[in-house]
Amino acid sequence: MSFRDEHLRALPAISAATFEQTALRLFQHQAQNCPPYRHYLTALGRNPSDVHTLTDIPFLPIEFFKAHEVRTDPADWTPQEVFLSSGTTQQQRSRHLLRDPVLYRQNAARIFEQTYGPLTSWTFLALLPSYLEQGHSSLVAMVEYFAKASGQTQPAFFLHDHEALLQALATAKRDSGRQVMLLGVSYALLDLVAAYASAPELLGLTVLETGGMKGRRREMIREELHAELQTAFGPQGIHSEYGMTELLSQAYSTGDGRFFCPPGLCILLREPSDPFSADTTRPAGAINVIDLANIDSCAFIETKDLARQYSDGSFEVLGRLDNSDVRGCNQMV
């Protein structure tokens, strides 16, 4: 059995007790077989044999996904799908090359069900206009898969048609056997709230914002955004997703702004001015993320997000480092 097959077979059963050992084995594999990562480690003068703990790992700056094909064992496969990050025409977009599109969708479904229960218990409706317009969105692919796997009969996406969305919400809420989840990019949800703040169709939903103003509205801190959304959606908490094009896994916040990592995902915080200071106990700092589902790209990524971490392992996203691009998936300044 190949290393990849063995890793993917073990992935669904990853636990806190096995995470570090699995991550270190994957690091040694990718340090040798992911050319951009190998060259980066060589430039740093870091020998993979000296890495024995998670905090020893040098994390690949996320900008590499813009300038390089970040692929592990590239000679063994041809990309079957490409996800692009959101951005403007002036920005270079990150590219995540997928060897197996099914892996992303099934991994995302497994994580969702660990948090929210079976997909078949939900109807998914989405306001993701900029993602749909730009194309090649991992978020759109995920929602599309969720809607199909749930067996719902209603369409999932509503580009700018708020009236059609309200009708779909009303219809979905009449199905007592299903819960209704409305997923939306922040500015699109705010546009909906501004136009239909008193609409009864907006009550009694699970609202999951995926962040991102896309230059359409001023940036807000999470508390301000969620307070404004709750004027229309009701006092229950607004849920959030922490994900990005460069990851195949997601973390969810179920209403209090604190994200919990699924078993195959882990964050380590670093001092913002020191990229090599990642620590498992640091209470606040910039996020380094390990995503064990990134078997075919790189699982060890240095992001530009700032966070606060709590003793129960949850984390709160505080914003972005100065001079970093404003990105789409819950990266609010």
Side-chain angles (χ1 to χ4, degrees), residues 127-139:
L127 266 181
L128 303 169
S130 51
Y131 293 96
L132 288 167
E133 291 164 344
Q134 290 188 336
H136 301 284
S137 163
S138 59
L139 179 59

Side-chain angles (χ1 to χ4, degrees), residues 248-301:
L248 297 188
S249 300
Q250 306 78 33
Y252 289 101
S253 164
T254 57
D256 60 359
R258 287 166 64 165
F259 295 91
F260 285 87
C261 289
L265 191 71
C266 174
I267 71 162
L268 290 77
L269 301 186
R270 68 183 190 274
E271 170 63 38
S273 61
D274 183 355
F276 308 112
S277 61
D279 191 341
T280 57
T281 61
R282 187 181 300 276
I287 295 177
N288 284 0
V289 62
I290 301 173
D291 183 359
L292 297 184
N294 276 21
I295 177 69
D296 299 311
S297 54
C298 181
F300 311 94
I301 300 175

Side-chain angles (χ1 to χ4, degrees), residues 30-268:
Q30 293 187 332
Q32 297 298 326
N33 298 291
C34 177
Y37 195 29
R38 182 177 68 243
H39 296 156
Y40 178 64
L41 296 174
T42 299
L44 293 178
R46 296 295 298 274
N47 190 330
S49 63
D50 294 332
V51 172
H52 304 292
T53 68
L54 297 183
T55 55
D56 292 336
I57 295 173
F59 286 72
L60 185 73
I62 200 166
E63 293 87 350
F64 272 65
F65 282 83
K66 294 183 177 182
H68 302 275
E69 288 195 352
V70 182
R71 297 167 60 192
T72 295
D73 298 318
D76 293 348
W77 55 281
T78 300
Q80 300 302 302
E81 188 172 15
V82 179
F83 289 145
L84 300 179
S85 64
S86 57
T88 68
T89 55
Q90 289 77 36
Q91 292 174 332
Q92 188 174 0
R93 300 166 69 185
S94 289
R95 302 169 70 244
H96 197 162
L97 309 179
L98 271 65
R99 178 174 181 169
D100 180 7
V102 174
L103 168 62
Y104 167 69
R105 290 158 173 81
Q106 291 184 342
N107 184 63
R110 180 170 59 246
I111 293 170
F112 180 91
E113 292 189 329
Q114 289 169 351
T115 305
Y116 292 105
L119 292 172
T120 52
S121 298
W122 291 89
T123 294
F124 298 94
L125 305 175
L127 266 181
L128 303 169
S130 51
Y131 293 96
L132 288 167
E133 291 164 344
Q134 290 188 336
H136 301 284
S137 163
S138 59
L139 179 59
V140 169
M142 182 182 79
V143 175
E144 185 176 49
Y145 180 79
F146 286 4
K148 182 177 180 180
S150 77
Q152 69 186 60
T153 58
Q154 291 177 276
F157 297 100
F158 299 84
L159 191 58
H160 299 289
D161 192 343
H162 291 164
E163 291 288 345
L165 173 60
L166 291 179
Q167 292 176 12
L169 287 171
T171 300
K173 288 167 66 177
R174 287 196 292 268
D175 186 347
S176 60
R178 287 175 175 264
Q179 303 174 76
V180 181
M181 177 172 285
L182 175 61
L183 303 95
V185 63
S186 299
Y187 80 83
L189 290 175
L190 288 171
D191 288 347
L192 177 66
V193 166
Y196 298 96
S198 58
E201 293 89 347
L202 300 184
L203 298 175
L205 312 173
T206 296
V207 178
L208 190 148
E209 58 89 6
T210 64
M213 293 300 182
K214 310 296 184 190
R216 314 290 180 94
R217 286 172 171 263
R218 68 177 179 84
E219 298 292 337
M220 297 180 177
I221 61 172
R222 179 189 59 81
E223 290 84 358
E224 182 183 6
L225 171 66
H226 287 197
E228 188 163 337
L229 293 177
Q230 285 175 307
T231 61
F233 292 114
Q236 68 273 17
I238 304 297
H239 296 219
S240 302
E241 180 225 18
Y242 182 79
M244 58 188 70
T245 300
E246 298 84 358
L247 302 180
L248 297 188
S249 300
Q250 306 78 33
Y252 289 101
S253 164
T254 57
D256 60 359
R258 287 166 64 165
F259 295 91
F260 285 87
C261 289
L265 191 71
C266 174
I267 71 162
L268 290 77

